[in-house]
Amino acid sequence: MTDELILLQVESSPRLEQLLEFSLEGISYRTATAQELSTGAFQNCRILFVLYVDELGMGPECFGLLRLLRANPGALKGCVGSMIVDGAGELYTKQAAQALALGANMAGCMFPGKPLVEGTGSLYNQRVSAKRMECSLEEAYFLRCRELVQRLLSFHRPHFSRPKILMLHASDNRKSNTVAMGREVLEHLAPYCDIRTISLQNGAIYDCRGCSYTACLHYSKSGTCYYGGALPTEVFPAILESDALLLLCPNFNDSASANIMALINRMTNLLLQSPLFDKYLFSIVVSGYSGSDLVARQILGALCLNKTMMLPPSFCMLQTANDPGSAMHSPGIHDRLERWSHEILHTLLPETPSQVQ
């Protein structure tokens, strides 16, 4: 991957132009257009995606970018990206970021942990950062964007001689389509990786009750949580020991299941123990009818944009299957699982063994 920085901006505003001038001061970069995606000109680059959304959300140019990304798989092969989303109102900035992240990721782009800075119209979402940095809301926004650019420029993806992979699920082992797919992926990875599997059905999983920051920090220092259960005693230590998380997510009413969401909601406690910037996130999402993309956006939004895990290229395997066991009888499923397993190995290993090229 080259160190060249590409600025890919879609729509603008006076505040956004000032922000970019501040964030990119002294940095060499070139601007590009979304239309260049189909030419392959973006491969192996560092890309700063910049979007502006008005009070009604994404405009035609934003949707045009998404369609180009979806139409050109592999267009961003070898790329690393980060995002700035500036909004005129209080809504739609995160919606735009999640949609862009999934589209770019499926086109081959990886994202470091926490690759997004968003600014709502009022910049009220910068309140906590401004308080911590002892500055105004706008100053916090500008400084965070400059820091985001610096992290993008300095990022280098880690590799592991024998990666440790943790597969987490909350499904019935006997009937689950996601578990069956996950197990086949692990069979391909096992010769090269150390594997551990944890079911979130084992033991009580309590959702977060919203302790104060100081209370959460107090318990995290001793590796515990006020609400206890299996998460702080078994699951969180396993996540910290792993290099990559494989999260199995069946679609429950266009959302991840309750236990998966409880895990995510309680992870603030884990982040106070140790940031997760060095962990890769992979996921399998199975929908009975449709909507796998909604769950994929939810997972990447929670665990990469928010909880700091890295989003590797093509992080998610999406499948539609309803009846128990039907996923493994879908046309071409075994070839798809094998190819995706090889992509995981290409991401994690310093050199991919010749037998999986």
Side-chain angles (χ1 to χ4, degrees):
M1 183 180 64
T2 68
D3 290 329
E4 180 183 29
L5 177 65
I6 293 177
L7 173 64
L8 201 167
Q9 182 176 352
V10 178
E11 304 191 26
S12 189
S13 70
R15 183 175 75 180
L16 185 54
E17 292 305 317
Q18 293 176 6
L19 182 147
L20 290 176
E21 182 179 358
F22 177 83
S23 302
L24 296 170
E25 183 180 3
I27 293 174
S28 176
Y29 67 93
R30 72 176 177 90
T31 59
T33 65
Q35 287 69 30
E36 293 178 57
L37 278 168
S38 59
T39 69
F42 291 96
Q43 293 189 359
N44 300 306
C45 296
R46 301 175 192 268
I47 304 179
L48 180 64
F49 296 95
V50 178
L51 302 186
Y52 170 74
V53 296
D54 63 20
E55 293 90 343
L56 303 180
M58 291 185 288
E61 290 186 42
C62 291
F63 282 110
L65 171 59
L66 292 178
R67 291 181 66 85
L68 283 167
L69 288 168
R70 294 166 184 169
N72 291 278
L76 301 182
K77 181 179 179 181
C79 291
V80 175
S82 292
M83 300 177 289
I84 296 173
V85 181
D86 189 59
E90 301 306 292
L91 305 177
Y92 310 121
T93 51
K94 197 154 284 180
Q95 176 196 55
Q98 289 183 3
L100 173 60
L102 181 60
N105 182 258
M106 294 178 72
C109 186
M110 113 165 254
F111 289 91
K114 221 168 180 63
L116 167 68
V117 176
E118 49 164 341
T120 61
S122 68
L123 292 181
Y124 185 82
N125 68 316
Q126 303 298 323
R127 181 172 172 270
V128 173
S129 295
K131 184 177 180 180
R132 185 182 69 249
M133 299 164 72
E134 298 182 342
C135 61
S136 70
L137 298 179
E138 185 173 79
E139 287 172 332
Y141 183 33
F142 279 43
L143 289 169
R144 289 184 65 216
C145 288
R146 175 183 279 180
E147 189 269 339
L148 178 76
V149 173
Q150 294 296 333
R151 282 200 295 116
L152 174 61
L153 290 173
S154 63
F155 177 80
H156 294 280
R157 64 183 71 188
H159 296 97
F160 312 95
S161 58
R162 188 169 178 85
K164 298 177 181 178
I165 297 180
L166 172 65
M167 186 172 84
L168 282 179
H169 69 89
S171 303
D172 188 324
N173 284 324
R174 299 166 298 171
K175 301 179 180 179
S176 171
N177 283 301
T178 51
V179 171
M181 293 174 65
R183 283 176 171 168
E184 182 155 326
V185 169
L186 294 186
E187 288 178 7
H188 291 294
L189 302 182
Y192 315 101
C193 306
D194 293 330
I195 307 292
R196 183 175 179 183
T197 299
I198 295 179
S199 170
L200 297 178
Q201 287 191 336
N202 299 334
I205 304 295
Y206 302 107
D207 204 348
C208 180
R209 306 293 180 84
C211 286
S212 68
Y213 175 82
T214 53
C216 191
L217 179 62
H218 169 76
Y219 284 98
S220 70
K221 287 180 177 178
S222 57
T224 61
C225 173
Y226 178 81
Y227 298 99
L231 291 181
T233 59
E234 181 181 10
V235 179
F236 290 170
I239 292 175
L240 291 178
E241 291 172 5
S242 69
D243 301 311
L245 173 65
L246 174 58
L247 191 63
L248 307 188
C249 297
N251 183 343
F252 280 45
N253 300 305
D254 294 331
S255 175
S257 66
N259 277 0
I260 295 295
M261 291 310 302
L263 163 72
I264 292 171
N265 292 338
R266 292 270 297 277
M267 283 179 67
T268 298
N269 176 278
L270 177 60
L271 286 174
L272 290 173
Q273 298 178 46
S274 175
L276 302 177
F277 286 103
D278 60 342
K279 314 293 182 189
Y280 284 102
L281 169 66
F282 298 94
S283 185
I284 296 175
V285 176
V286 177
S287 293
Y289 301 99
S290 64
S292 292
D293 58 309
L294 299 180
V295 179
R297 291 185 194 182
Q298 182 184 32
I299 295 304
L300 72 84
L303 292 176
C304 174
L305 305 189
N306 189 303
K307 303 296 186 190
T308 77
M309 285 185 158
M310 293 179 288
L311 200 70
S314 303
F315 93 101
C316 198
M317 177 87 169
L318 306 177
Q319 180 65 35
T320 302
N322 195 319
D323 297 332
S326 61
M328 303 310 293
H329 297 288
S330 300
I333 187 64
H334 300 290
D335 288 340
R336 290 181 61 219
L337 288 169
E338 183 176 12
R339 287 196 302 271
W340 192 60
S341 301
H342 292 177
E343 290 180 20
I344 293 175
L345 291 175
H346 278 287
T347 295
L348 297 179
L349 297 175
E351 294 183 2
T352 307
S354 59
Q355 57 265 43
V356 298
Q357 294 290 341

